[in-house]
């Protein structure tokens, strides 16, 4: 099952909002529907947002408002930074002289290059991360317990995922994954659990607030999370709740790894606190989607008192000091070597 594909001049995307209950694709034929799909999280996860937006630029190629379309696509979600890198390439392609037809073709080539780059980066993250797992496995001589957060898996990417890539590329290493819920939208339960089951990786679901207990109890050998942005000093901006896992891991001496492709590194910001943090609708907190086994249907329910107020920050900042190392497409290293990821 693919996550994204350019087909006959349109963009086909897997509707992540419907997982794990339904596997359905949306065909996006104009750039405005790509913006909507990114905003409403039909497509979500930093790498695939970049790929979708890049193909959105192709769909906008002949629009009289082409450059405002690019701005809307690039800023549909403010926190994930991969799309900024992708749009440097897209804008370069757009500025080349030539006919409208040529511009379309150049944009399509650029979008394909963004897609291939994201795919290759994830694979390389997997290859480097696998060596970490091998070392730990030799030391422990038993199944490794990995904890992750949100979905930094293949559904968030073209394939492999970032946090999951080392696991998928090392099927010979026995691994068990603790999958945390990831309220309010439950990407852990609905997406990570779905794709781990699909790949036959052993896993157990936990509510978000159980993570600290398990880490302290010694049931977690390492934590691997993805990132929406890593700033110059190594601070990690990722799905809300990442920080609490990092704190618990640090306190218990459990290694905490961040998996990221080069495109997630943002040297233009000195620290994570300068990152724009997306605030989403209160309704994502006050209501929940689930499958009603009796009625055989997917339903949305309110889980709080009527008119209760809520706040819904999408991301938090984990200071670099809590990160053991960064698993990247250029190797595994500490914050001092992140500059290796800078692309021209
Ligand atoms: O709000 P989301 O679901 O787009 O948030 C996604 C995450 O936080 C992921 O961990 C991050 O984008 C890395 S995905 C490889």
């Amino acid at each position: 099952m693919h996550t994204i594909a350019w087909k006959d001049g349109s963009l086909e995307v897997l509707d992540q909002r419907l997982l794990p209950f339904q596997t359905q694709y949306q065909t996006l034929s104009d750039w405005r529907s790509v913006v909507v799909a990114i905003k409403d999280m039909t497509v979500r996860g930093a790498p695939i947002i970049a790929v979708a937006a890049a193909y959105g630029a192709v769909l906008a190629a002949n629009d009289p408002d082409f450059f405002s379309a690019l701005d809307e696509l690039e800023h549909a979600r403010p926190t994930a930074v991969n799309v900024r890198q992708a749009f440097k390439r897209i804008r370069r392609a757009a500025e080349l002289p030539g006919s409208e037809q040529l511009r379309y073709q150049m944009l399509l080539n650029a979008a394909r290059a963004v897609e291939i780059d994201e795919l290759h980066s994830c694979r390389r993250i997997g290859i480097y991360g696998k060596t970490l797992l091998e070392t730990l496995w030799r030391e422990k001589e038993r199944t490794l317990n990995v904890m992750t957060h949100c979905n930094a898996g293949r559904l968030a990417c073209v394939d492999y995922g970032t946090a999951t890539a080392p696991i998928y590329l090392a099927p010979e290493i026995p691994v068990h994954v603790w999958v945390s819920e990831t309220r309010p939208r439950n990407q852990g339960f609905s997406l990570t659990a779905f794709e781990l089951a699909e790949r036959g990786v052993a896993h157990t679901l936990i509510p978000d607030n159980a993570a600290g207990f398990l880490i302290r109890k010694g049931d977690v050998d390492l934590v691997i999370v993805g990132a929406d942005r890593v700033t110059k000093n190594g601070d990690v901006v990722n799905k809300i709740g990442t920080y609490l896992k990092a704190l618990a891991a640090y306190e218990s001496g459990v290694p905490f790894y961040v998996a990221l492709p080069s495109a997630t590194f943002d040297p233009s910001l000195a620290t994570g606190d300068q990152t724009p943090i997306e605030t989403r609708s209160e309704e994502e907190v006050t209501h929940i989607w689930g499958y009603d086994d009796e009625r055989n249907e997917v339903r949305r329910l309110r889980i709080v008192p009527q008119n209760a107020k809520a706040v819904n920050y999408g991301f938090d900042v984990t200071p670099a000091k809590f990160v053991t190392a960064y698993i990247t497409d250029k190797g595994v290293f500490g914050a001092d070597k992140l500059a290796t990821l800078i692309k021209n």
Side-chain angles (χ1 to χ4, degrees):
M1 187 207 315
H2 57 281
T3 53
I4 196 159
W6 180 257
K7 276 190 186 165
D8 306 325
S10 292
L11 185 62
E12 186 175 79
V13 294
L14 179 62
D15 190 338
Q16 299 200 32
R17 298 167 311 163
L18 305 179
L19 290 172
F21 311 119
Q22 288 168 46
T23 303
Q24 213 169 283
Y25 287 90
Q26 271 191 28
T27 300
L28 311 174
S29 310
D30 63 89
W31 68 266
R32 284 188 181 81
S33 49
V34 177
V35 173
V36 172
I38 295 172
K39 281 186 194 285
D40 72 11
M41 290 173 71
T42 298
V43 175
R44 39 73 42 213
I48 207 169
I49 289 172
V51 177
Y55 281 114
V58 182
L59 294 171
N62 298 325
D63 194 293
D65 284 335
F66 177 69
F67 286 99
S68 7
L70 288 193
D71 290 342
E72 278 198 53
L73 285 160
E74 189 175 348
H75 298 102
R77 289 191 68 197
T79 307
V81 79
N82 302 46
V83 66
R84 308 274 178 279
Q85 284 281 1
F87 269 51
K88 282 187 195 157
R89 188 175 234 155
I90 291 290
R91 285 179 197 279
R92 274 200 301 270
E95 276 153 18
L96 291 171
S99 63
E100 276 196 358
Q101 207 187 347
L102 187 66
R103 171 150 95 171
Y104 181 90
Q105 195 51 50
M106 294 313 247
L107 286 167
L108 186 54
N109 293 349
R112 285 201 168 115
V114 169
E115 180 180 357
I116 290 167
D117 254 20
E118 291 289 0
L119 179 68
H120 289 177
S121 293
C122 287
R123 195 176 145 72
R124 285 195 295 266
I125 288 170
I127 291 167
Y128 288 118
K130 177 179 165 162
T131 60
L132 269 183
L133 294 184
E134 276 163 354
T135 309
L136 206 58
W137 183 39
R138 271 197 294 274
E139 184 193 309
K140 305 270 178 194
E141 296 182 325
R142 56 158 174 77
T143 299
L144 296 178
N145 288 302
V146 180
M147 181 177 278
T148 189
H149 187 61
C150 192
N151 174 260
R154 74 158 193 105
L155 293 167
C157 304
V158 181
D159 203 351
Y160 306 108
T162 57
T164 52
I167 299 169
Y168 292 156
L169 290 186
E172 68 282 11
I173 301 178
V175 164
H176 162 262
V177 183
W178 293 112
V179 177
S180 67
E181 185 183 13
T182 319
R183 279 284 290 146
R185 287 189 69 111
N186 302 327
Q187 291 95 324
F189 281 9
S190 58
L191 303 176
T192 304
F194 175 82
E195 63 166 89
L196 291 176
E198 184 189 47
R199 298 267 167 129
V201 177
H203 60 281
T204 307
L205 310 185
I206 53 159
D208 288 328
N209 44 11
F213 177 69
L214 287 171
I215 289 172
R216 187 162 178 272
K217 196 164 146 338
D219 288 353
V220 179
D221 296 309
L222 70 163
V223 181
I224 312 181
V225 298
D228 282 82
R229 194 183 296 233
V230 173
T231 54
K232 192 172 182 185
N233 67 339
D235 287 354
V236 177
V237 186
N238 192 46
K239 179 55 56 192
I240 194 102
T242 303
Y243 173 52
L244 288 177
K245 286 190 173 64
L247 277 178
Y250 187 76
E251 166 70 14
S252 294
V254 169
F256 183 91
Y257 294 104
V258 176
L260 73 143
S262 297
T264 302
F265 181 51
D266 182 5
S268 76
L269 297 186
T271 73
D273 293 322
Q274 296 169 352
T275 304
I277 300 289
E278 180 181 9
T279 308
R280 297 186 58 88
S281 136
E282 285 181 46
E283 291 197 0
E284 291 182 350
V285 177
T286 58
H287 290 68
I288 199 159
W289 286 94
Y291 195 83
D292 185 331
D293 286 324
E294 272 162 33
R295 294 194 193 187
N296 263 332
E297 64 184 22
V298 179
R299 292 177 68 198
R300 178 175 175 270
L301 298 172
R302 175 165 53 82
I303 53 168
V304 300
Q306 230 169 354
N307 303 321
K309 296 294 293 168
V311 67
N312 185 9
Y313 294 113
F315 301 90
D316 62 22
V317 179
T318 298
K321 73 170 182 184
F322 297 124
V323 180
T324 307
Y326 303 81
I327 310 173
T328 81
D329 51 316
K330 304 244 172 78
V332 179
F333 37 69
D336 55 325
K337 296 273 168 8
L338 280 171
T340 316
L341 302 179
I342 293 174
K343 279 191 176 175
N344 295 317

